[in-house]
Amino acid sequence: RSASEPMTRLIRTLLDFARPRHATRAPQRVFGLTAKTVEMLAPLAARKRVELVAKDESADGITLADSDQLVQVLTNLIVNAIQAMSRPGSVEVIVSAEHALPPADLHKPEGEYLCIAVRDEGTGIAPEHLGRIFEPFFTTKDVGSGTGLGLAVAYGIVREHGGWIDVHTELGKGSCFRVYLPRGAEA
């Protein structure tokens, strides 16, 4: 049973990557989904002596999204943040409204977006790996510890929702993944 559960998760992730399902979008309160995900992952964090902290700094934290897919993005980012921690500490998940300029390939105007920042105090990402972190099957984790699909799937889901992911990282100090999504129920 203990061997089959990780295998089931791996197969589910592979299927999600290979055959992404059509998103069923509805207005979502992003902090509500964030708080639910943090609560779900708290036992995993506690085993690594990591405190999960969720903060809502958004004035109107609503976006048009598929709730299951958004929870999958949050889960992948938070689990990676927990796994990046080599010592006790905290992972912050902050929902805020930010003025941002999307990447040029999105062809979207500069404006107000919802931002979900997942900030850890982990090891950081080496500069030579940073350009590849969203590639399918790329991982810096030990064999058996990761498939290299979590960030690729998260990236695809966020792009499908009209958003993007920015990453800031420093070796030995941690990383911050910022997910930007269109703001409002009509997004």
Side-chain angles (χ1 to χ4, degrees), residues 153-174:
V153 169
Y155 179 87
I157 290 170
V158 170
R159 281 301 187 121
E160 185 181 319
H161 281 76
W164 71 98
I165 303 176
D166 275 345
V167 183
H168 176 75
T169 186
E170 285 186 60
L171 282 177
K173 295 187 177 181

Side-chain angles (χ1 to χ4, degrees), residues 36-59:
K36 177 176 112 176
T37 307
V38 164
E39 182 180 334
M40 175 182 69
L41 295 173
L44 173 68
R47 282 195 295 277
K48 286 205 65 176
R49 298 186 338 232
V50 172
E51 178 186 16
L52 290 182
V53 179
K55 297 179 183 176
D56 187 7
E57 298 176 358
S58 66

Side-chain angles (χ1 to χ4, degrees), residues 9 28-30 91 101 111 115 120 138 140 145 147-148 156 158 168 186-187:
R9 282 193 302 275
Q28 303 292 334
R29 291 209 175 275
V30 175
V91 171
L101 176 63
C115 176
D120 67 59
F138 177 79
T140 59
S145 298
T147 61
V158 170
H168 176 75
E186 306 82 35

Side-chain angles (χ1 to χ4, degrees), residues 54-77:
K55 297 179 183 176
D56 187 7
E57 298 176 358
S58 66
D60 177 16
I62 295 176
T63 192
L64 195 60
D66 181 299
S67 62
D68 291 340
Q69 288 185 341
L70 200 50
V71 166
Q72 183 176 4
V73 168
L74 289 164
T75 300
N76 286 336
L77 294 177

Side-chain angles (χ1 to χ4, degrees), residues 29-35 54-62 74 92-98 114-117:
R29 291 209 175 275
V30 175
F31 185 73
L33 295 175
T34 301
K55 297 179 183 176
D56 187 7
E57 298 176 358
S58 66
D60 177 16
I62 295 176
L74 289 164
E92 289 184 324
V93 186
I94 304 165
V95 179
S96 63
E98 289 190 17
L114 271 179
C115 176
I116 308 165

Side-chain angles (χ1 to χ4, degrees), residues 1-11:
R1 184 176 192 191
S2 64
S4 69
E5 288 173 1
M7 185 58 70
T8 300
R9 282 193 302 275
L10 173 60
I11 290 169

